[in-house]
Amino acid sequence: MKNINVGLIGFGLSGQVFHAPIIDCTEGYVLKKIYTTNEKNIEIAQEKYSAEVCSNVDDILNSEDIDLVVVATPNESHYEYAKRALLKGKHVVVEKPFTVTTKQAEDLIKISKEQSKVLSVYQNRRYDSDFKTVKKIIESGVLGKIVEFEAHFDRFRNYPKNYWREENIPGSGILYDLGSHLVDQALYLFGTPNKFFADIRKQRSFAKADDNFELILFYDNLKVTLKASMLVKEPLPKYIVTGENGNFVKYGMDVQEEHLRRGLTPNTYSPWGKEPETANGILNINLNGIDIRTTIQSECGDYREYYRELYSAIVEGKRVPVTAEEARNTIYILESATQVNCDIIQFIPYK
């Protein structure tokens, strides 16, 4: 089996939790180099991995041994690192959100095609147990025609922290952070909308960047509502799917992030990505006059699926998971939402 040598640019939360351990546990990949200048993160990388730890990003970009560059840096730098890697002839994975602007996304797509290199965006929440379960329910047809879909990504923290994501800089705030997941999931399920509405807010008195949003995507005979907040103490449903036959309601979060933060990996913990039965969703429908209310066992989540699909794309020429074009559509909605708040926006397909 051919190995893909990986250079990881960035070793903060994303690099440490969502990329390095998953790459390390996925057959066909070798984590060769990690770029970070943070002393604490250097120690963590050296302790956990055999990869060379670099303090100069050019050690990765200029290396002939590196096949794939994974960009896991703050959002504002995604474009520059991805562009440099593509121009060096590398395949590239960019942590979500893809870029800050649609123009940047379109530029990277153009370069990747000119270089004949794979460009993909790490929308790992497509591989969450809850979303995989929702997708399976919708595709099964048991709900009948879907008329409304609502998804939440809520948290609670009513005090400030020194996070770059909460500073007033391009690409910061909850819309780009968590909205990139929710929008991607909606577009993955239903395609691009005809129009959309955006309400972006700063609710906490100390907030420098947006910490609450509501997006409504309008399709033919379908309404999709996406919401996130930093002030939700009592858990709300993560997903509410309504069809002509009834509803599917799902609470709880996928367990992979929690396990990865605790240092567990697919190689050290089994069954990986399996939710507790208490997190199973509720299906409540009426079929042919018969009421049915039952729990639905959650699918197992597995972020390795993304890297397995990426391997097939790079080595075998198969479909790229989370194409750059799909990610560009997500960025188009996020960027438009920040520019025209509390208004209806026409979705204009890229030509």
Side-chain angles (χ1 to χ4, degrees), residues 234-262:
E234 183 66 23
L236 299 172
K238 180 75 184 295
Y239 296 101
I240 305 171
V241 189
T242 302
E244 289 186 331
N245 295 336
N247 305 87
F248 178 70
V249 179
K250 179 73 174 67
Y251 283 81
M253 285 290 295
D254 179 272
V255 298
Q256 291 178 89
E257 178 177 352
E258 176 192 349
H259 289 166
L260 289 165
R261 283 176 178 265
R262 287 163 48 193

Side-chain angles (χ1 to χ4, degrees), residues 146-211:
I146 305 300
V147 297
E148 189 164 0
F149 176 89
E150 182 171 333
H152 288 246
F153 207 141
D154 298 317
R155 293 172 173 171
F156 181 82
R157 179 163 48 80
N158 60 358
Y159 55 88
K161 275 193 173 182
N162 186 27
Y163 288 161
W164 65 261
R165 289 180 179 85
E166 298 189 19
E167 295 296 325
N168 183 23
I169 57 176
S172 67
I174 198 171
L175 178 67
Y176 271 80
D177 185 22
L178 304 183
S180 55
H181 287 307
L182 295 182
V183 172
D184 174 72
Q185 290 181 347
L187 301 191
Y188 186 48
L189 288 174
F190 306 114
T192 55
N194 302 322
K195 299 178 181 179
F196 55 98
F197 167 85
D199 182 2
I200 318 299
R201 297 175 181 265
K202 297 176 185 176
Q203 291 188 327
R204 296 175 296 180
S205 58
F206 56 82
K208 299 177 183 178
D210 54 87
D211 59 4

Side-chain angles (χ1 to χ4, degrees), residues 67-85:
D67 306 303
L68 170 68
V69 169
V70 177
V71 178
T73 55
N75 300 346
E76 196 175 8
S77 63
H78 286 183
Y79 169 73
E80 188 60 35
Y81 282 131
K83 180 179 179 179
R84 291 177 63 187

